[in-house]
Amino acid sequence: MRICMRVILPFTVGAICVLGTIRAATPLQSDQMQPRLWPAPAHQAGFRQANVEALVDGLLANMTLEEKVGQMIQADIASITPAQQRQYKLGSILAGGGAAPGNDVRTTPKAWLDLTDAFFSASLETGNAAHRAIPIIFGIDAVHGNAKVIGATIFPHNVGLGAMHDAALMRRIGAATAEEVAAIGVDWTFAPTVAVVRDPRWGRSYESYSESPDLVAQYAAAMVGGLQGTPGDADFMGPGRTLASVKHFLGDGGTLGGRDQGEDQAAEAVLAHVHAAGYPAAIEAGALIVMASYNSWRGTKLHSSHYLLTDILKGRMGFDGFVVGDWNAHEQIPGCTKFDCPAAYLAGIDMLMAPDSWQALYDNTLREARANVIPAARIDDAVRRILRVKALAGIFERLPPQRRPDADKLDGLGGAAHRAIARQAVRESLVLLKNEAGRLPLSPRSRVLVVGQGADDIGMQSGGWTIDWQGDHNSNEDFPGATSIFAGIKAIVAAAGGTAVLSADGSFDARPDAAIVVYGESPYAEFEGDRETLEYSPGDKRDLKLLRRLHALGIPVISIFLSGRAMWVNPEINASDAFVAAWLPGSEGEGIADVLFRAADGSIAHDFTGRLGVSWPRTPMPAKFLDVEEQARDPLFARGYGLDYAHTASAARVAHLDEQTHVPVDRNAPETLYRAAHVTAPWSIYLADAGLGAGAEVRLTTARQDSPLRGLLVSQDTNGVTGRWNGAAPSVFRIAGRMRDYRSPADASTAIEFRYRIEQAPTAPVLIGVRCVPPYYRHIADAPGSGMATLNAWKCGTEHGALLDLTTTLQSAPLNAWRTYSYSLACLAARGADLSTVEAPFAIATSGQLALTISEVRLIRHEGPPRCGGG
Ligand code: BGC
Ligand code: BGC
């Protein structure tokens, strides 16, 4: 395999391609491993208890092999019923990012409680003459509060919590989260994430507390303690407490280029002391569950790493709890499918997360257990660990959720005490990066103009993992009890006799004393958030224009920047008088106004106490993000930086910053987007059909090769990618990943060339072309049922889209013969397309039937007349 990275050296830009660095086939040899580099065994308070081990022994002695295998599997509520749960006696049920009772993510807390009660009650019926019933543990991603549930308190995402540097508050956040999780009868949260982020282009950067291993370790312990209570104390896993799981083991924050689920090539010492920093601390604080990671380390997927899971985690670190797999992550192990993967169990995973694949996995695992492919000792060890955790956590004593003492605490979900904690966390997480001429704090008696896409959008201020997986389809009505940033400002200003006016486009009638502009990243989760550069909003500079317009009018501009990571915002900082990194603050937006405004009596109500937990980049593409010594190379603002009102009046000046991106693109070199089963980073294959709903699409990954589309099935082999359109729904195949402005004169000769082979001729028109990022894409409503719904929304400013008709070309192409086709961007521009925000240079769509294989897609220079169609 070949990977390429763009590198920026002082005078040159080039690509380094490393051959053979991703070595799926050549893992490190065991004699190259150094277990002694790793932290010595953590002191595991209360892990071994005689009564618990006796209970587990008794169960193990009397369970059938079927029952044991059942414990080792976790299914998602979207794919299992309580009756099936009772029949298969699975060890656990989860509600994944997009799953909800009745498939309605906006359902009531009561519906959640009914659902968890139904599954738990079913598990209480699994007892028999040989042994008592073994209750399930139900898991959910309460990663910033129990944010899947309508009305919950949503805390700042971890990147913001890192800036607080307040472990005591972390513990209270953990306790509050646990209560809100318990309120719906859930016993387990997939948190905390203890990733130590290295390259913030990673889409999960916001789930990492900090780039500092020490801070991550401190927080890991605080969060686990808050969620579960302290081992040995009477309230350990008592009512309102929830099992933690520490994730993702190991090296998730250190993948090359920040690619989610990618390859970590850290030296073993770095893995042990940087990436693993949170584990000993969390285990010592009583963590009983560790989740394995999607990524690989030096060519070996973590889910198949016996060395890291068994020798290090369970051996060297002495972890006696259980290891759960991640969402079908086992299918990425060579030789495995999501339905069948003895290798993961053999490596040391005790329970596989098999959301939709659980049933076949059960059958296959049972067969492999019978055939001794998975030895009995390994099965017994896995089940012992799972039962031990259930016993230590008191799950055997828990009543069905509806009858628990915490059931009547339902109004604890989103309760005032929890919201007060979240509001405090918002205040403490804000980092003041610039405060020219002491513009802040503002007087609450001023006339403030509140502007920007994020000003009154609770979904945007909450980010991913909110109500659903991506968190990008939420509106303010979905957050009862929550406060937008504007609403918070308005409340404080109105109470003091000032005025706060919301203005979407920045226009105003009466000249304001100050403009508060709230803008930043739109929500994303996991790999959907991977980026190629740290430049904020490349290609779409509307926010910057707005800042500059207000600035030019002499109005003090206060930037409130919402983001899941530190980003390159030099031009935005230059155009602002004050600049606040607000991260993803969650449901309590008034925490921002608390710090921006003076108290009514003129005193400072709350000063800025937040300090960066991650370094802030000086360029969009730092050549290297962090070295082993944890020093970011030449950051704009180092970790620990942050201004406040009390001390830093003079330092508050930030000299004019360099606005050059320093990422010149060599527009002469052909660029390969796809070649024979390999998409080149940052490109990805996306599929969408009308049945998926407006704007929704699926990214093909190694993890997800199947598609939930009705109209388009894809498969890949060494020839390339084959799309089979069946006519059931209009469907689009596209390659996207880097938004770029293609209007420069140099791009006049850019063409897209692809090599293809027709296997079935089209039965309806086929369109080919490029797609653009539409303005504020979340607000675009595709006309339901309209033929090319998702394609039409991305028309690049033209009525019919930046598309060419490929139908006759494909109809006249001989079957099963390779051909090449190319189209020039100049033809699309000539037809009126606005190519300033192209994010998919290659898109092909039809509503009829068609089968074709694509072996290669490239951006090339095409001299001569533009190619606008034809063969
Ligand atoms: C994520 C985990 C998450 C799990 C369940 C996975 O895709 O990597 O962090 O806990 O899904 O939703
Ligand atoms: C699920 C998430 C999961 C993700 C992984 C989504 O469909 O809802 O829970 O983390 O897939 O790819």
Side-chain angles (χ1 to χ4, degrees):
M1 197 175 286
R2 182 168 180 271
I3 46 167
C4 300
M5 284 175 292
R6 177 166 308 129
V7 289
I8 299 132
L9 302 168
F11 306 108
T12 53
V13 175
I16 297 183
C17 297
V18 194
L19 281 166
T21 26
I22 296 185
R23 291 162 303 199
T26 55
L28 285 189
Q29 298 306 306
S30 53
D31 58 0
Q32 296 172 271
M33 309 289 194
Q34 297 173 273
R36 266 170 312 191
L37 284 174
W38 293 77
H43 168 67
Q44 298 179 6
F47 252 114
R48 288 290 172 108
Q49 291 175 16
N51 57 339
V52 164
E53 298 305 312
L55 169 77
V56 172
D57 285 339
L59 285 168
L60 270 180
N62 293 294
M63 287 167 76
T64 62
L65 190 57
E66 286 82 352
E67 289 174 326
K68 291 177 182 177
V69 167
Q71 288 298 310
M72 295 165 65
I73 292 176
Q74 182 185 51
D76 182 271
I77 55 166
S79 308
I80 190 168
T81 62
Q84 288 173 308
Q85 151 63 27
R86 183 168 49 237
Q87 183 193 343
Y88 282 86
K89 304 184 183 182
L90 300 191
S92 176
I93 298 289
L94 92 149
N103 226 345
D104 173 12
V105 292
R106 290 178 177 73
T107 192
T108 59
K110 171 75 169 58
W112 278 102
L113 187 66
D114 292 346
L115 179 92
T116 57
D117 189 85
F119 279 108
F120 195 89
S121 299
S123 73
L124 293 185
E125 292 166 25
T126 56
N128 52 40
H131 63 81
R132 65 189 292 183
I134 302 173
I136 54 152
I137 37 176
F138 191 114
I140 202 168
D141 287 285
V143 299
H144 58 148
N146 195 9
K148 276 179 64 65
V149 180
I150 296 292
T153 307
I154 302 172
F155 296 90
H157 266 300
N158 289 351
V159 64
L161 300 180
M164 304 189 311
H165 295 87
D166 184 344
L169 189 57
M170 280 301 296
R171 196 178 165 104
R172 292 170 62 209
I173 291 172
T177 301
E179 283 182 21
E180 300 210 4
V181 170
I184 57 161
V186 169
D187 293 314
W188 174 13
T189 170
F190 305 130
T193 296
V194 298
V196 183
V197 65
R198 270 3 216 173
D199 183 335
R201 290 176 297 174
W202 183 36
R204 305 192 79 160
S205 293
Y206 66 80
E207 298 185 57
S208 170
Y209 294 122
S210 171
E211 67 196 25
S212 154
D214 293 343
L215 184 59
V216 169
Q218 207 190 353
Y219 270 24
M223 193 65 185
V224 168
L227 289 166
Q228 304 187 150
T230 304
D233 282 6
D235 79 333
F236 179 73
M237 283 306 293
R241 298 289 194 181
T242 299
L243 275 166
S245 38
V246 199
K247 70 187 190 184
H248 308 82
F249 191 85
L250 184 63
D252 49 351
T255 56
L256 283 175
R259 302 302 287 180
D260 192 38
Q261 308 189 1
E263 156 81 356
D264 192 326
Q265 297 193 332
E268 189 166 354
V270 175
L271 200 66
H273 295 287
V274 174
H275 296 291
Y279 292 90
I283 294 167
E284 219 164 299
L288 301 170
I289 307 171
V290 168
M291 187 187 291
S293 189
Y294 275 114
N295 65 273
S296 51
W297 180 54
R298 301 186 153 202
T300 302
K301 281 281 167 187
L302 256 293
H303 278 65
S304 62
S305 176
H306 187 276
Y307 177 64
L308 292 175
L309 296 174
T310 300
D311 299 345
I312 296 299
L313 178 63
K314 294 176 176 177
R316 172 80 178 167
M317 292 189 196
F319 176 63
D320 278 337
F322 77 81
V323 177
V324 66
D326 202 346
W327 185 274
N328 278 333
H330 50 279
E331 73 178 327
Q332 298 187 21
I333 299 173
C336 284
T337 66
K338 64 181 177 179
F339 308 112
D340 186 10
C341 192
Y345 288 122
L346 291 172
I349 307 270
D350 301 302
M351 179 189 283
L352 280 176
M353 191 186 289
D356 52 350
S357 43
W358 62 272
Q359 205 163 355
L361 183 72
Y362 176 94
D363 293 338
N364 288 321
T365 306
L366 186 58
R367 183 173 39 75
E368 285 146 2
R370 286 190 183 126
N372 208 31
V373 175
I374 308 173
R378 177 73 265 270
I379 301 273
D380 281 355
D381 172 55
V383 178
R384 170 178 294 282
R385 288 167 176 274
I386 293 164
L387 297 178
R388 176 188 292 141
V389 169
K390 290 182 177 183
L392 285 171
I395 304 296
F396 284 96
E397 281 74 51
R398 287 200 166 180
L399 297 168
Q402 280 166 346
R403 287 166 43 210
R404 291 184 189 174
D406 22 341
D408 60 2
K409 278 203 203 144
L410 257 187
D411 57 9
L413 195 86
H418 295 169
R419 291 189 187 276
I421 296 172
R423 181 170 173 172
Q424 181 183 347
V426 174
R427 286 197 293 268
E428 292 190 17
S429 66
L430 303 175
V431 183
L432 181 62
L433 297 180
K434 176 180 182 180
N435 192 15
E436 193 81 19
R439 294 291 189 194
L440 291 178
L442 299 168
S443 159
R445 278 186 289 276
S446 352
R447 174 191 296 277
V448 288
L449 186 70
V450 187
V451 198
Q453 205 197 342
D456 194 29
D457 186 337
I458 302 170
M460 181 164 160
Q461 75 197 35
S462 298
W465 296 108
T466 303
I467 301 180
D468 70 7
W469 181 38
Q470 293 295 318
D472 57 353
H473 286 92
N474 299 325
S475 65
N476 286 358
E477 294 69 53
D478 297 324
F479 299 94
T483 308
S484 75
I485 295 171
F486 168 68
I489 293 171
K490 193 175 170 182
I492 285 187
V493 170
T499 50
V501 178
L502 183 67
S503 162
D505 60 359
S507 62
F508 51 82
D509 297 330
R511 185 184 171 85
D513 299 321
I516 300 176
V517 189
V518 190
Y519 56 97
E521 293 190 295
S522 295
Y524 52 78
E526 300 191 46
F527 43 78
E528 302 269 343
D530 287 357
R531 295 290 177 264
E532 194 209 359
T533 93
L534 290 179
E535 176 180 356
Y536 168 60
S537 193
D540 178 356
K541 297 299 176 189
R542 270 168 294 190
D543 294 322
L544 181 58
K545 282 184 194 140
L546 179 61
L547 298 172
R548 285 181 174 156
R549 182 151 58 81
L550 294 164
H551 198 65
L553 293 171
I555 297 168
V557 173
I558 316 299
S559 276
I560 306 295
F561 186 59
L562 301 175
S563 68
R565 49 189 141 206
M567 303 195 85
W568 184 76
V569 282
N570 285 8
E572 287 80 5
I573 294 177
N574 285 339
S576 307
D577 294 275
F579 192 98
V580 178
W583 318 107
L584 298 168
S587 60
E588 307 314 302
E590 67 271 65
I592 291 175
D594 286 346
V595 187
L596 293 188
F597 291 91
R598 289 180 185 277
D601 66 3
S603 64
I604 302 280
H606 297 279
D607 200 350
F608 283 92
T609 56
R611 301 288 181 262
L612 293 176
V614 290
S615 24
W616 199 277
R618 184 181 293 281
T619 68
M621 287 279 280
K624 197 167 177 211
F625 288 89
L626 289 169
D627 58 28
V628 181
E629 281 75 46
E630 316 314 322
Q631 299 301 315
R633 199 164 298 170
D634 190 28
L636 180 60
F637 302 115
R639 173 157 57 81
Y641 180 86
L643 305 171
D644 56 32
Y645 300 144
H647 303 100
T648 46
S650 57
R653 283 195 70 87
V654 174
H656 187 83
L657 300 171
D658 182 359
E659 299 197 354
Q660 291 303 310
T661 58
H662 298 291
V663 195
V665 175
D666 179 359
R667 290 172 191 268
N668 282 313
E671 182 179 354
T672 301
L673 276 49
Y674 179 87
R675 181 182 295 142
H678 183 62
V679 271
T680 315
W683 305 104
S684 292
I685 294 175
Y686 291 84
L687 313 171
D689 76 16
L692 272 181
E697 57 234 315
V698 179
R699 190 181 85 150
L700 280 199
T701 61
T702 25
R704 173 160 283 156
Q705 295 286 349
D706 56 330
S707 71
L709 271 65
R710 285 185 296 139
L712 171 59
L713 298 172
V714 292
S715 57
Q716 292 196 70
D717 61 22
T718 46
N719 283 322
V721 56
T722 303
R724 289 189 181 79
W725 280 258
N726 59 22
S731 305
V732 190
F733 173 105
R734 69 188 176 102
I735 298 183
R738 172 203 290 144
M739 182 166 68
R740 208 167 99 184
D741 184 343
Y742 288 94
R743 291 171 306 176
S744 79
D747 277 320
S749 57
T750 297
I752 291 90
E753 180 188 84
F754 71 104
R755 196 163 163 266
Y756 70 97
R757 187 175 75 183
I758 292 286
E759 274 119 56
Q760 187 197 340
T763 59
V766 181
L767 299 176
I768 189 158
V770 308
R771 302 215 301 165
C772 297
V773 175
Y776 297 144
Y777 122 84
R778 297 172 318 124
H779 300 139
I780 293 244
D782 288 305
S786 80
M788 299 286 174
T790 42
L791 194 61
N792 282 343
W794 304 60
K795 291 190 289 198
C796 307
T798 67
E799 200 187 331
H800 300 292
L803 299 169
L804 301 167
D805 190 336
L806 193 65
T807 321
T808 41
T809 306
L810 296 187
Q811 275 168 345
S812 57
L815 289 187
N816 299 318
W818 290 106
R819 316 202 91 196
T820 299
Y821 182 88
S822 62
Y823 51 98
S824 300
L825 289 176
C827 336
L828 303 176
R831 303 167 110 218
D834 169 359
L835 299 179
S836 60
T837 60
V838 173
E839 61 98 55
F842 182 80
I844 177 165
T846 182
S847 53
Q849 295 175 8
L850 167 69
L852 93 172
T853 298
I854 295 166
S855 68
E856 186 165 13
V857 181
R858 301 196 305 156
L859 293 178
I860 58 162
R861 303 277 291 180
H862 173 77
E863 306 301 344
R867 311 216 44 174
C868 298

